[in-house]
Amino acid sequence: ITNVVFGDNLTYIGEGAFDGCINLTSVTIPDNVTDIGWRAFANCSLTSVYCKPTTPPFLSGGETFLSNKSEYKIYVPTTSENEYKSARYWSDYSDIIVGYDF
């Protein structure tokens, strides 16, 4: 698996759901997701994460998007960029969070 696009009805991504999927480079998180489990995407080779919810989903802990790549971006709605950058655990990624018009 190199790319994951979840269905629009998804509301929760479980703890460690894709931990260790070393070929995973891109993830698209739909609008309805309100909670992402600890280390859900840890130890992947992420280059891009597209997170569509306007309210930052609750992160159960740090290392949610811990990537094997040295440089990657987390794209969030432009109108919510500052909210993501200051939200608990999301702030760990503030230097790679970028506003995006979905």
Side-chain angles (χ1 to χ4, degrees), residues 2-61:
T2 60
N3 180 33
V4 174
V5 179
F6 295 103
D8 290 336
N9 292 330
L10 185 71
T11 60
Y12 173 70
I13 299 170
E15 182 175 308
F18 292 88
D19 190 352
C21 290
I22 59 171
N23 293 322
L24 184 61
T25 60
S26 179
V27 174
T28 301
I29 299 168
D31 290 329
N32 292 328
V33 170
T34 59
D35 192 341
I36 301 173
W38 180 70
R39 295 180 62 93
F41 300 100
N43 301 306
C44 299
S45 298
L46 295 173
T47 57
S48 55
V49 175
Y50 296 91
C51 194
K52 294 182 175 184
T54 54
T55 300
F58 173 78
L59 299 183
S60 301

Side-chain angles (χ1 to χ4, degrees), residues 46-95:
L46 295 173
T47 57
S48 55
V49 175
Y50 296 91
C51 194
K52 294 182 175 184
T54 54
T55 300
F58 173 78
L59 299 183
S60 301
E63 302 180 355
T64 302
F65 300 105
L66 181 66
S67 179
N68 293 332
K69 294 288 186 182
S70 60
E71 291 188 32
Y72 63 103
K73 300 289 182 198
I74 299 175
Y75 298 96
V76 301
T78 301
T79 57
S80 304
E81 182 178 351
N82 290 333
E83 190 176 352
Y84 271 85
K85 287 182 175 184
S86 62
R88 185 172 186 206
Y89 297 119
W90 285 100
S91 62
D92 296 349
Y93 305 100
S94 63
D95 58 333

